[in-house]
Amino acid sequence: MEALISRIKHDGTVLGDDILKVDSFLTHQVDPKLMRQIGQAFAQKFSDSGITKVVTIEASGNVPAAYVAEELNIPMIFAKKAKNVTMNDELLTAEVYSFTKKITSTVQISRKFLSENDKVLIIDDFLANGQAALGLITILKEAGAQIAGVGIVIEKSFQTGRTLVEETGIPVVSLARIAGFEQGQVVFAEADL
Ligand code: 5GP
């Protein structure tokens, strides 16, 4: 997706060997116009797939996921990382290791929001080693839901996530694909959309 790639070139910062900071438009401050384009790109791709729900993990998946759900005119569910007193329904859970926080947390979705009649599109901001996506796949399988695909805003193709997700038989669609970082610059691979 050209608009996203040029934004990454312009505003992204490479941190160390394997982290891209995009906090001025995606993960902290948000550019709604770009988010709408992201929502439209995924919605167009999956418009004929019979998707009933968009699912992500809080926090930074929430923004792109909500824009995709709005375009598809369906609900968005975000897996929660901390249980609170209002979560008194049956929960579906998975353990997820966070690439950026370096901790494992139990993520959860209330069972009442998912059923075997659902066909789900998973959306996340980044794909690194695939742990967030695989955790969501575990929860969705437990619910008996079908999974149409995993939609990623920025995939770091030099990490293991895409291969691990594709090994489950679920297609990955990424708007920007990063082949690697060279001298603090982003080297892009061909994107899926
Ligand atoms: P994974 O579970 O695929 O290893 O990592 C994906 C999650 O880690 C994403 O939901 C995202 O929040 C975070 N993440 C992974 N890599 C990056 C990165 O390079 N930059 C930022 N800002 N977040 C990342």
Side-chain angles (χ1 to χ4, degrees), residues 36-107:
R36 171 138 302 145
Q37 289 175 278
I38 287 169
Q40 286 166 347
F42 283 124
Q44 211 168 25
K45 170 77 184 169
F46 288 96
S47 60
D48 296 332
S49 306
I51 311 286
T52 60
K53 303 249 164 93
V54 173
V55 169
T56 190
I57 294 197
E58 67 175 353
S60 47
N62 289 13
V63 174
Y67 278 82
V68 178
E70 195 205 6
E71 291 294 330
L72 290 169
N73 199 22
I74 54 174
M76 181 277 264
I77 304 166
F78 60 95
K80 291 185 168 238
K81 286 181 178 157
K83 194 172 187 298
N84 67 40
V85 288
T86 69
M87 294 182 78
N88 54 2
D89 300 299
E90 190 188 346
L91 298 173
L92 302 168
T93 64
E95 297 293 303
V96 172
Y97 177 77
S98 165
F99 179 74
T100 45
K101 299 198 181 85
K102 312 285 179 210
I103 52 162
T104 299
S105 48
T106 305
V107 302

Side-chain angles (χ1 to χ4, degrees), residues 18-20 27 60 99-100 124-132 156:
D18 55 9
I19 299 272
L20 180 69
T27 61
S60 47
F99 179 74
T100 45
D124 207 358
D125 58 341
F126 274 90
L127 181 62
N129 290 320
Q131 297 309 295
K156 290 180 294 176

